[in-house]
Amino acid sequence: MNAVKELLSTEESYAKSLHQMMDLYYEPLRQMQYKLHPILSENDINAIFGNAEDLLMITDELKKKLEERIRPAAEYGAVPSVGDIMCNFAPPLKLYEKYVRHFERASTYLTEKQQTSKALEEFLSRTMEQNPGLLSLHSYLIMPVQRILRYKLLLENILQNTQSFDPDYQDLTDALSLVAEQADRCNEATRKQENTMTLKRIQEELHGAVELVS
């Protein structure tokens, strides 16, 4: 039961963090597009946040289904089945691969924007000052990258604490297989993205060295 409760509690915490990022960073920046001097353009915002809105939508849906299943069972001390929920959740996890492929570039883009835009840096600092306990935008942006692997670990833990004759065992096994496949795809996307960014940095350094020599 503790393993199942951990799945719910961490999902609730993760959903809260995504809402904080979208409500306190994304939405204000998006609304500022319509001002005379916006801090970021629509292209800038898309480059930084990627498909985070899609991830928030599926996260809220998963959280709702887990709450509806786990909380009533917990009141009676029963161990709820969650394998079917996680099986159904596996296909939308493909959205994470898109986000992960985009993440390294997005993180670098945000850093560069902070270095060149005083208005953006002031907005980010002011937002944190006005919301005690709020994390930096960089800290929120990496959470989906970490979460996809966490799903795999959480399901492994639940499965380890489930007897093979339990009705939920097969669904949990199937869910773990599906989630692990998506996690592996995300890890591969991360590796490729890191390699691309490393190659880009090397090319820029070589280009700078050539300019110095010439």
Side-chain angles (χ1 to χ4, degrees), residues 23-86:
D23 293 345
L24 299 174
Y25 288 116
Y26 173 82
E27 280 299 331
L29 286 168
R30 192 177 68 83
Q31 291 298 326
M32 289 177 194
Q33 289 180 68
Y34 306 107
K35 292 188 175 182
L36 184 60
H37 300 292
I39 293 177
L40 294 176
S41 68
E42 182 178 358
N43 287 339
D44 291 332
I45 292 172
N46 291 337
I48 293 169
F49 291 93
N51 65 329
E53 277 189 300
D54 295 331
L55 300 189
L56 178 59
M57 180 179 66
I58 64 172
T59 298
D60 280 342
E61 182 64 21
L62 176 60
K63 180 174 76 73
K64 178 183 176 183
K65 290 185 179 301
L66 290 174
E67 287 173 340
E68 291 173 347
R69 180 73 60 83
I70 294 172
R71 285 184 173 166
E75 291 180 4
Y76 298 98
V79 179
S81 60
V82 296
D84 60 321
I85 294 175
M86 296 307 296

Side-chain angles (χ1 to χ4, degrees), residues 13-26 29 49 110 114 120-121 123-144 146:
S13 177
Y14 173 56
K16 179 181 177 181
S17 293
L18 286 187
H19 275 283
Q20 288 175 330
M21 178 178 77
M22 301 305 285
D23 293 345
L24 299 174
Y25 288 116
Y26 173 82
L29 286 168
F49 291 93
L110 174 58
Q114 285 180 257
L120 175 60
E121 184 60 30
F123 165 78
L124 296 176
S125 298
R126 184 171 62 253
T127 299
M128 292 185 68
E129 290 172 2
Q130 293 174 348
N131 298 274
L134 188 70
L135 302 178
S136 69
L137 179 51
H138 278 283
S139 297
Y140 285 113
L141 288 171
I142 198 174
M143 286 184 180
Q146 299 167 330

Side-chain angles (χ1 to χ4, degrees), residues 90 93-94 97 148 152 174-188:
L93 284 179
K94 292 178 180 179
E97 185 181 352
I148 185 67
K152 177 184 175 182
D174 293 342
L176 176 57
S177 177
L178 292 169
V179 170
E181 180 182 353
Q182 286 302 321
D184 290 343
R185 290 172 67 91
C186 286
N187 284 337
E188 179 64 15

